[in-house]
Amino acid sequence: MKKIIITAALFLGFNQSYNACGWYDPDYDYFNIFAQEIIHNKTYEPFLLTYSSHFYGYDYDGKLDKNVPDENIESWVKYFDNKLTYDETNALITKVDIKHLNNLKKGQLTHQLFQKLGKGFYSKYQEAMDYLIQAKYMEPYMRINYVENPDSYSYRTSDPKDKNATQLNYAKTNVALISLYKAATNPEIKLRYAYQIVRFNHYSRKYKTAIDSFQTYVEPLKLKNHMYYYALDQKAGAERGLNQLDKANWDFFQVFKNTKNKKESAYNSMFLATDKDFNKILAQTKTPEDKNMAYFLLAYSAFNNPVPIMNKMIANNTESDILKVLTVRAINQLERNYLVVNPYCNDDQCEHFRNKRLPVYAPDNYADESKDFAKELETTIISAKNKQGNDEFWQICEAYIKFLNTDYKGSQTILSQIKTTDKQYLAEIEKFKMLNEIVSQPTITPAFENLIMKKYATVFEEKAQNRNWETMPATKDFVLDILANRYFIEKQDAKSFLMNNSLSDLQYNPNSDLVRKVEAFYKKSNKTALENYLVKKMEDVADPQSFFNVIYGDRAMRLADFKKAQEYYQKAKNFKGIPRLVYEWSKDGTSYVQKPMTFENGVYNGFNNISSLVFGYNVWESFQSKPEESMKTEGLSNFPFIKNKMNKVELADAVIQLENIGKGNDDKARLANQLLGNLLYNTSVLGYFRELFVMDVDNYNGPKFEFGNELQSPFYLYYKNFSRRSYVEADNFDLAINYYKKALDLSKDKENQARILFQMASAEQGKYYQWAANNPLKIEYNDPNYDEKYKQKELLFNKTKNDKYRTAFAQLKANYSQTATYKNLQSSCLYFGYYTKK
């Protein structure tokens, strides 16, 4: 996994699905290709499909981002004869403090809005302004007082500063509202006072009075505008307070049906626990559209397969807006099962997925259902299209379903026949035409690469990051994935890699084979337009060729091919350090900014500042301790060419000289071989300097330093999320062991021999870890014989360890038990002490 260096804590603060990661957002798990927002009735946008929040279009702060019209503000704009804009009216109703309204009443213009309107505004709209003064006075109190229920599932605290309706003098307020109601001459203002009377009684928990007030003050006015339904919403709340759930549900249903911006609250307020509750609403409906509304509630509440309900709605009214909402939800539900951003597979599925024409995925237990759902949904959409005629909406939906089902020709035929001037529809049509053309391409040829860069250049443009650091996966990401998948199938690995990654990402998986392919692409002449686009993704590395050579040199060092490593390192003189990013809060504290990591003087940067302790041995195993605390070296005075601090060229020079010296027969040759063994072990996955030859900046734990990575590359569809899935070619511990054997053969000192054997044993331990990781014995927890099988597994692993990977320990125990080294190891090395006591 990529080591992201973060200098401030990351709190994105929203977690709908209880994922272990606090920033997890399920809407980022799939490609948002089909635009649900193509429905024309924007009042239904909150009911589009989302898994990230309770309603669609809400941000992390619970604020609505979409343009659902506020009918109350719209009505005030009309009431004031359009003298105020929508924004000015919204400010007057929701933001201007009551003191400014009172001042206006006195003829004082203390707010810039009233300075613009003049003193005559109050006299012209006196009843309205007096109403607003009363409404603004009451608004802070207009919430019901919360009473803790001892049987409540959870405990809820309230802010002592929060106000509620019971803090107002009930008798005085109620009488005042009734008096104002009676005095008002404008029916619209009178209805607004009636609404306040019902709401005040509801929030005062005087439920019966609230219901009676609706009958007394609202109904006689015979105005069925939005304020009527706002008042009905309050009446329904009172009915629910009296446990009159059927009445409350029906009234809330009327609010849901007849208001623009009260739909979410009306839906939330309904008590719809069983199908019986829905059926009671359905039984009272009279018009086809009312029935469709009721069916929608049922489908929305239990959203699995909506097709049967959609068929009923089509029979009622194909022109229904709410039917279209259910349709786009269904399409997006299907899309989420097909177009998953990060498809993974088990061993049985991988080969199947490699040859897909789309990077599609559905879990095993849902695959068949997905196919049936896709077929049923297509049939239903065609039925609606045929019944409705040439409605572009249904044609677009049919074309997209065909696209998902890989019928690109059929999809393209439908799209080419659609006649429309609607901008949203046109955008979808052009997008789907492009996707059909790209996805249906059997082979990505140079001519096609030039074509799509000319024809669809805007798709490949860089998009700005949003305030939550990552952008929602969308069309561009999908196109890049499609092309990456095609290149992967065609074994054009370099282009497949660069479609989803930057060149610097190779540091997280420095796989020699892939690096060579990327280097060959980098050197390729006469690149196509698309290939030149990919070359730009290499610009995050200052000198790509030096970057490649460091990777090659590192691999050669791990393979003990020191001369080849030297050659590569000498070609990497312009290497500026491992290209890594750090993330910090922006100055305004609202978002993250990224910048290149800078390495302090004297700190290892991937090339420079390598300590001579790399030739030493462990005093104790502590990766996060300082080098001089964990490591100790000896005999370096015999080799003055080994510097205290080296770059990789100097290190390669030093090991070449050591290798030459090690070919001799004296004690200096013994020491040279011992130091070479130490170097290879210390830079292995088990060593303190394990970061030196795997393109890492430190030895902190991560996937690079785990066993089992050598099994296979973790990429099977494309190189998606390359930096999050580590693949490092395995250490060859035999290389270190062979140098230790040479040193052992040349050693004449029992203490030194014992220390060499222990270092050999450490390398053997690495070989055992590799074997264990690559030979897992899987036992299911629900296996009735779990305990017995687990014991057998332990016996097998212990036997294998002792028979094959403890030869050096066996020699130590048999021949060196009297040495000081042996006795010291018994107390300082737990696993050796345990071994010798058996």
Side-chain angles (χ1 to χ4, degrees):
M1 188 178 210
K2 179 187 288 189
K3 289 183 181 178
I4 299 178
I5 300 169
I6 298 180
T7 57
L10 175 61
F11 296 106
L12 293 183
F14 186 86
N15 180 10
Q16 176 69 15
S17 63
Y18 307 100
N19 187 279
C21 298
W23 46 263
Y24 173 73
D25 186 336
D27 281 347
Y28 282 75
D29 281 348
Y30 86 108
F31 295 101
N32 301 266
I33 292 180
F34 186 88
Q36 300 181 80
E37 298 90 343
I38 67 170
I39 59 167
H40 287 155
N41 190 336
K42 302 306 179 185
T43 65
Y44 291 119
E45 276 199 7
F47 295 89
L48 299 178
L49 186 65
T50 177
Y51 297 151
S52 299
S53 59
H54 195 57
F55 290 108
Y56 182 85
Y58 284 82
D59 63 16
Y60 287 98
D61 299 321
K63 297 178 181 178
L64 185 64
D65 284 339
K66 304 301 178 183
N67 295 318
V68 176
D70 189 324
E71 56 209 324
N72 186 45
I73 303 301
E74 290 176 340
S75 72
W76 278 115
V77 172
K78 184 178 179 181
Y79 184 91
F80 291 128
D81 302 311
N82 295 303
K83 292 183 178 179
L84 286 77
T85 65
Y86 181 93
D87 290 339
E88 288 173 335
T89 306
N90 184 54
L92 172 61
I93 304 304
T94 64
K95 299 176 182 178
V96 176
D97 193 271
I98 189 175
K99 68 181 180 181
H100 296 297
L101 275 73
N102 280 318
N103 289 342
L104 177 65
K105 189 173 182 178
K106 299 173 186 176
Q108 301 170 3
L109 305 179
T110 57
H111 191 279
Q112 60 182 7
L113 180 60
F114 297 144
Q115 291 168 4
K116 171 188 173 182
L117 295 170
K119 297 179 180 179
F121 188 77
Y122 175 79
S123 58
K124 183 172 178 61
Y125 302 106
Q126 181 177 343
E127 277 198 347
M129 300 308 292
D130 286 344
Y131 166 77
L132 287 175
I133 291 172
Q134 179 65 25
K136 284 181 180 286
Y137 166 72
M138 294 181 62
E139 190 59 34
Y141 300 92
M142 287 301 99
R143 60 177 55 85
I144 203 162
N145 64 313
Y146 177 73
V147 178
E148 182 66 36
N149 183 345
D151 296 323
S152 293
Y153 175 75
S154 61
Y155 176 71
R156 169 179 157 186
T157 59
S158 58
D159 190 329
K161 297 179 181 178
D162 287 347
K163 298 177 180 179
N164 63 74
T166 61
Q167 293 172 319
L168 291 173
N169 184 303
Y170 173 77
K172 182 179 178 181
T173 304
N174 199 48
V175 168
L177 287 172
I178 293 172
S179 176
L180 290 167
Y181 169 86
K182 292 178 178 179
T185 59
N186 185 295
E188 289 186 42
I189 301 301
K190 190 180 284 287
L191 180 55
R192 290 183 181 277
Y193 279 121
Y195 158 74
Q196 295 288 358
I197 293 170
V198 179
R199 182 168 71 150
F200 176 59
N201 279 281
H202 171 209
Y203 288 162
S204 297
R205 292 187 179 272
K206 298 187 181 298
Y207 301 134
K208 179 65 167 58
T209 305
I211 296 169
D212 292 343
S213 295
F214 185 86
Q215 303 300 328
T216 303
Y217 302 110
V218 177
E219 290 287 11
L221 297 177
K222 300 188 183 302
L223 282 177
K224 286 292 185 76
N225 63 14
H226 73 285
M227 287 308 303
Y228 171 88
Y229 292 104
Y230 283 16
L232 184 63
D233 184 51
Q234 297 297 323
K235 175 192 173 224
E239 288 167 336
R240 182 160 181 171
L242 293 175
N243 208 33
Q244 297 174 359
L245 299 182
D246 291 342
K247 290 182 178 179
N249 280 347
W250 178 249
D251 284 341
F252 281 130
F253 178 68
Q254 301 302 310
V255 177
F256 176 84
K257 185 181 69 169
N258 292 291
T259 62
K260 293 180 179 180
N261 59 344
K262 287 285 185 183
K263 293 186 185 297
E264 304 107 291
S265 63
Y267 174 82
N268 277 338
S269 298
M270 293 185 207
F271 186 82
L272 304 173
T274 66
D275 287 352
K276 185 178 179 181
D277 298 316
F278 290 101
N279 290 332
K280 287 180 179 178
I281 292 176
L282 186 62
Q284 297 180 72
T285 58
K286 296 178 181 179
T287 68
E289 185 61 6
D290 283 0
K291 293 184 185 299
N292 276 3
M293 288 280 187
Y295 280 130
F296 174 80
L297 295 178
L298 176 60
Y300 184 82
S301 181
F303 200 78
N304 294 311
N305 185 349
V307 168
I309 294 177
M310 289 174 63
N311 289 333
K312 292 181 180 180
M313 295 171 73
I314 291 170
N316 281 330
N317 178 16
T318 314
E319 297 182 8
S320 171
D321 288 338
I322 203 75
L323 169 61
K324 292 181 178 180
V325 174
L326 196 57
T327 302
V328 295
R329 281 176 58 88
I331 290 174
N332 272 262
Q333 184 186 19
L334 181 65
E335 182 180 272
R336 286 167 185 260
N337 291 311
Y338 275 32
L339 307 184
V340 183
V341 169
N342 298 312
Y344 295 111
C345 67
N346 58 39
D347 293 338
D348 297 330
Q349 294 172 319
C350 285
E351 191 59 40
H352 171 67
F353 281 133
R354 281 192 183 97
N355 297 314
K356 288 254 180 197
R357 300 311 300 159
L358 276 171
V360 302
Y361 174 71
D364 288 341
N365 61 357
Y366 196 75
D368 292 336
E369 183 180 342
S370 290
K371 293 174 185 175
D372 293 340
F373 178 34
K375 186 184 300 182
E376 292 174 3
L377 183 57
E378 182 176 10
T379 301
T380 296
I381 287 172
I382 292 173
S383 172
K385 185 192 75 169
N386 292 339
K387 189 172 181 179
Q388 184 65 14
N390 293 321
D391 188 322
E392 308 99 301
F393 172 84
W394 297 108
Q395 292 175 289
I396 290 171
C397 291
E398 182 189 6
Y400 188 66
I401 294 294
K402 287 187 180 298
F403 165 77
L404 289 179
N405 288 328
T406 69
D407 182 4
Y408 310 121
K409 184 177 180 180
S411 177
Q412 206 76 336
T413 299
I414 294 171
L415 292 170
S416 64
Q417 294 172 349
I418 299 175
K419 308 295 182 185
T420 184
T421 58
D422 184 279
K423 291 183 179 180
Q424 284 185 297
Y425 288 171
L426 287 171
E428 289 294 280
I429 291 167
E430 291 306 309
K431 176 170 62 178
F432 297 156
K433 282 182 178 180
M434 175 193 68
L435 293 178
N436 279 321
E437 183 173 12
I438 293 175
V439 174
S440 62
Q441 188 72 13
T443 304
I444 309 300
T445 63
F448 187 71
E449 289 178 339
N450 285 325
L451 171 69
I452 59 177
M453 287 303 294
K454 181 178 180 180
K455 193 173 181 180
Y456 306 120
T458 56
V459 176
F460 296 90
E461 293 175 356
E462 292 298 320
K463 55 190 176 183
Q465 291 184 324
N466 69 6
R467 65 191 180 91
N468 287 324
W469 188 21
E470 293 187 357
T471 50
M472 189 78 78
T475 305
K476 174 186 175 179
D477 307 277
F478 180 71
V479 169
L480 295 182
D481 275 17
I482 288 295
L483 294 172
N485 173 249
R486 299 299 182 268
Y487 287 133
F488 191 88
I489 293 172
E490 296 166 11
K491 301 189 182 306
Q492 297 191 58
D493 294 76
K495 289 193 278 190
S496 180
F497 166 77
L498 290 169
M499 275 292 163
N500 293 125
N501 307 279
S502 298
L503 179 60
S504 65
D505 288 327
L506 282 173
Q507 67 182 286
Y508 300 104
N509 285 270
N511 177 284
S512 302
D513 181 59
L514 178 59
V515 174
R516 290 191 186 282
K517 292 176 180 177
V518 175
E519 182 191 23
F521 172 75
Y522 175 71
K523 292 180 176 180
K524 179 179 180 290
S525 59
N526 300 319
K527 293 183 176 69
T528 67
L530 180 58
E531 289 173 338
N532 283 323
Y533 164 79
L534 295 177
V535 168
K536 291 182 179 179
K537 304 186 81 171
M538 295 182 163
E539 293 176 355
D540 64 328
V541 174
D543 182 2
Q545 196 58 62
S546 292
F547 181 71
F548 297 137
N549 283 320
V550 170
I551 293 177
Y552 297 147
D554 286 350
R555 184 58 183 160
M557 288 293 285
R558 295 177 75 210
L559 295 174
D561 193 342
F562 304 130
K563 288 186 178 180
K564 184 177 288 187
Q566 182 190 49
E567 293 173 4
Y568 283 126
Y569 289 148
Q570 287 173 342
K571 297 176 184 177
K573 294 179 180 178
N574 294 325
F575 187 74
K576 303 300 181 183
I578 293 176
R580 188 147 304 185
L581 298 174
V582 293
Y583 297 86
E584 295 179 349
W585 282 114
S586 60
K587 291 183 178 180
D588 60 8
T590 60
S591 62
Y592 269 87
V593 293
Q594 62 182 33
K595 61 181 183 180
M597 180 179 181
T598 56
F599 296 89
E600 297 177 3
N601 290 334
V603 174
Y604 174 69
N605 70 345
F607 196 81
N608 299 313
N609 300 311
I610 301 170
S611 169
S612 59
L613 286 169
V614 73
F615 292 107
Y617 60 90
N618 284 84
V619 177
W620 67 326
E621 188 169 299
S622 175
F623 286 103
Q624 269 61 68
S625 296
K626 294 178 180 179
E628 57 272 17
E629 294 173 349
S630 288
M631 304 296 296
K632 183 178 179 180
T633 191
E634 62 179 348
L636 289 186
S637 59
N638 294 283
F639 310 110
F641 51 82
I642 298 178
K643 301 178 181 179
N644 289 333
K645 288 280 187 177
M646 297 167 281
N647 61 35
K648 285 186 173 179
V649 174
E650 294 167 333
L651 178 63
D653 290 342
V655 295
I656 289 172
Q657 293 186 59
L658 286 175
E659 191 170 44
N660 289 330
I661 294 170
K663 294 175 182 178
N665 295 310
D666 56 7
D667 192 59
K668 192 172 183 180
R670 182 272 307 169
L671 181 57
N673 282 295
Q674 190 171 350
L675 295 186
L676 288 171
N678 286 353
L679 170 76
L680 290 173
Y681 175 79
N682 290 335
T683 55
S684 75
V685 65
L686 291 176
Y688 181 86
F689 294 96
R690 57 188 179 181
E691 76 274 16
L692 288 189
F693 302 138
V694 292
M695 290 297 284
D696 217 328
V697 295
D698 53 48
N699 63 14
Y700 284 32
N701 197 25
K704 284 184 180 179
F705 308 132
E706 296 174 0
F707 292 94
N709 289 335
E710 62 272 16
L711 278 176
Q712 64 179 23
S713 171
F715 305 102
Y716 61 93
L717 276 176
Y718 38 37
Y719 294 99
K720 185 73 174 285
N721 292 329
F722 188 81
S723 61
R724 299 180 187 176
R725 306 185 70 192
S726 185
Y727 173 61
V728 178
E729 291 135 322
D731 291 302
N732 184 350
F733 286 99
D734 283 328
L735 295 174
I737 290 172
N738 288 339
Y739 281 111
Y740 285 138
K741 285 181 177 178
K742 292 179 184 178
L744 186 64
D745 291 341
L746 293 172
S747 177
K748 297 179 175 57
D749 178 77
K750 293 281 284 186
E751 294 292 341
N752 181 253
Q753 291 170 3
R755 186 155 57 248
I756 294 172
L757 280 169
F758 180 74
Q759 289 164 320
M760 287 177 63
S762 297
E764 279 190 311
Q765 187 77 0
K767 293 181 65 175
Y768 167 72
Y769 289 146
Q770 288 177 338
W771 174 85
N774 298 326
N775 294 275
L777 295 180
K778 297 180 181 179
I779 307 172
E780 299 293 335
Y781 285 110
N782 58 358
D783 190 319
N785 299 316
Y786 176 85
D787 290 340
E788 181 59 30
K789 288 183 179 180
Y790 188 80
K791 289 179 182 178
Q792 293 299 320
K793 172 184 174 180
E794 282 192 317
L795 288 173
L796 172 63
F797 274 49
N798 286 332
K799 186 176 187 305
T800 302
K801 184 193 302 180
N802 291 323
D803 290 351
K804 295 184 177 181
Y805 303 107
R806 287 284 175 82
T807 60
F809 269 4
Q811 289 185 60
L812 272 172
K813 184 176 181 180
N815 304 318
Y816 295 89
S817 59
Q818 301 305 313
T819 63
T821 300
Y822 179 93
K823 294 174 182 177
N824 179 58
L825 287 171
Q826 274 190 310
S827 59
S828 63
C829 179
L830 293 178
Y831 64 87
F832 180 66
Y834 174 76
Y835 173 82
T836 59
K837 292 175 183 176
K838 290 192 300 180

